[in-house]
Amino acid sequence: MGEQLRRGGRRARFGGLAGIVVLSSLLTACEKGTAGPLGADDGTPGTSSSRSASQGSDSTTRTSGDASYAVDAPGRFKPPLRTADLLVTASHTLPDPLVTRIRRIQGVRALVPFSYAAASVDGRTLTVAAADPAAFRVFTPDATAQAQFVWDRLAGGEAAVDVTTPKKLVDAKDMVRLGSRDDSPLVHVGAYAPLVQRAAGLSTRPVVQVVVNPKRGEQLGLPTRNALLISTGSRTPSLVKKQIDKLLAGDRAGSVQLLAREFDNALQTAVLAGTSVSDAIGTFSYTNGPDGTIKPDQRWVDAYIRTESVPLLGDVTCNKAFIPQLRAALTEIVQAGLASSIHPDEYAGCYYPRYIGRSAANGLSLHSWGIAVDLNVPGNQRGTSGEMDRRVVAIMKKWGMAWGGDWNYTDPMHFEMNRVVRPG
């Protein structure tokens, strides 16, 4: 198959197996007590056992996870594999009665609840999942599901990363910082492997790029159990989707995506990882627009996007939660005598709903939430150290913003909200 299956640590390789690369992901914990996929007609395969990682696992496996984030080892792989046909996502925990009703729909062969969000990592947004290792593995490709070290390491507190994830997002020690804050958790990448995929031809971007166990998901502050992966077996996924759409009709924050080849610009739900920020800025559903743009739900736009005046830049259109922090930072920049360091005619906007680089493969830009600004654009291009006054940078950081100049692949014009700071 031409790909490599390997542990975290760039030199370790395993020949003869389909490529597997596992990185830490931002999925939140499954519902307590739900250890495996909920089979509608065939029991509950793949549930975690209470065996230690040394029992029934590769004897050469070594974990570099924090023991305080370890969960029960998953034991050996238990067939059958499940196809990932539908993805249900919401901005909130999916209620148990709703999950039960979905499980009972004709054609739902198996499902697994997990937590799902986007994380800003060095100028990219990665889709992250937190899930029970035994329950989740049956929805991954065969070689990934059967690679015991991947799931033992995930249970041990490490992360699994999809092979398509840019290597520059992981440092030389195989650590990845999942979030844009300086104190965002660093998680060791235990393995690299293909994770949950869309059908060939739909998109080069995996459904999930990073997976962690439930305890890591709690540490990362993901929304709890807000997603479902569903296998429809031999039944046409779109027929099942129609039934789920009816159940979600009263829930404006929930949506269903077809992961099978029937894809047709489905409604998607955008959730940003980080509890305090996501609570403040809201979550929205969207469809794809032309030329790498997206079209957020107008109800969310009306509720969260505002045009207000701020110092130096004049009128800006941003998320209502971000404007007070931006205004406070610019006010302090003026008071510090640094007003000349900001060039109003070189401001490139705040709210701009689109993919990074106008490519869906790169994930949603934080401009889509209206919580990022690009300043002094001509002198601060990507990949350069830029000309931004570092005193300005320090003030922007003080007011809850991460700076793109700190990223591995720099973007010194870019500042994005990474925590809530309320002016006194």
Side-chain angles (χ1 to χ4, degrees), residues 54-271:
S54 63
Q55 293 177 300
S57 64
D58 188 330
S59 62
T60 64
T61 294
R62 297 289 184 271
T63 64
S64 298
D66 185 332
S68 61
Y69 295 103
V71 300
D72 287 346
R76 290 294 182 181
F77 172 66
K78 296 178 181 180
L81 284 171
R82 295 300 185 182
T83 55
D85 298 312
L86 296 170
L87 173 66
V88 178
T89 53
S91 61
H92 50 74
T93 299
L94 294 168
D96 291 344
L98 174 62
V99 175
T100 298
R101 292 177 71 185
I102 291 174
R103 180 178 44 166
R104 291 174 177 169
I105 292 173
Q106 182 180 4
V108 173
R109 298 283 294 181
L111 61 75
V112 59
F114 64 102
S115 298
Y116 189 69
S120 176
V121 181
D122 261 13
R124 296 291 186 96
T125 52
L126 298 182
T127 52
V128 295
D132 177 88
F136 198 77
R137 71 193 294 182
V138 301
F139 285 86
T140 63
D142 179 64
T144 304
Q146 296 198 48
Q148 189 62 36
F149 77 88
V150 170
W151 307 101
D152 284 343
R153 288 191 166 208
L154 197 69
E158 297 179 85
V161 173
D162 191 87
V163 290
T164 64
T165 302
K167 293 181 180 179
K168 64 185 178 183
L169 301 183
V170 182
D171 70 18
K173 296 182 179 179
D174 285 308
M175 303 294 288
V176 59
R177 186 177 299 280
L178 293 170
S180 59
R181 293 177 52 162
D182 291 341
D183 61 352
S184 294
L186 272 169
V187 183
H188 187 264
V189 178
Y192 296 88
L195 298 176
V196 181
Q197 310 291 318
R198 291 179 172 84
L202 294 186
S203 173
T204 58
R205 183 177 173 85
V207 178
V208 172
Q209 294 169 287
V210 180
V211 181
V212 292
N213 71 38
K215 284 189 177 181
R216 279 291 188 191
E218 293 174 4
Q219 179 199 24
L220 296 166
L222 297 186
T224 303
R225 207 202 61 168
N226 66 322
L228 301 173
L229 272 176
I230 297 174
S231 175
T232 65
S234 60
R235 189 168 177 80
T236 303
S238 60
L239 297 179
V240 178
K241 179 181 182 299
K242 289 179 181 179
Q243 298 300 311
I244 299 175
D245 283 335
K246 291 179 181 178
L247 295 179
L248 295 177
D251 189 341
R252 296 178 177 177
S255 61
V256 189
Q257 294 181 53
L258 280 170
L259 305 180
R261 189 176 286 278
E262 300 172 85
F263 178 81
D264 181 22
N265 194 19
L267 186 70
Q268 302 176 63
T269 300
V271 182

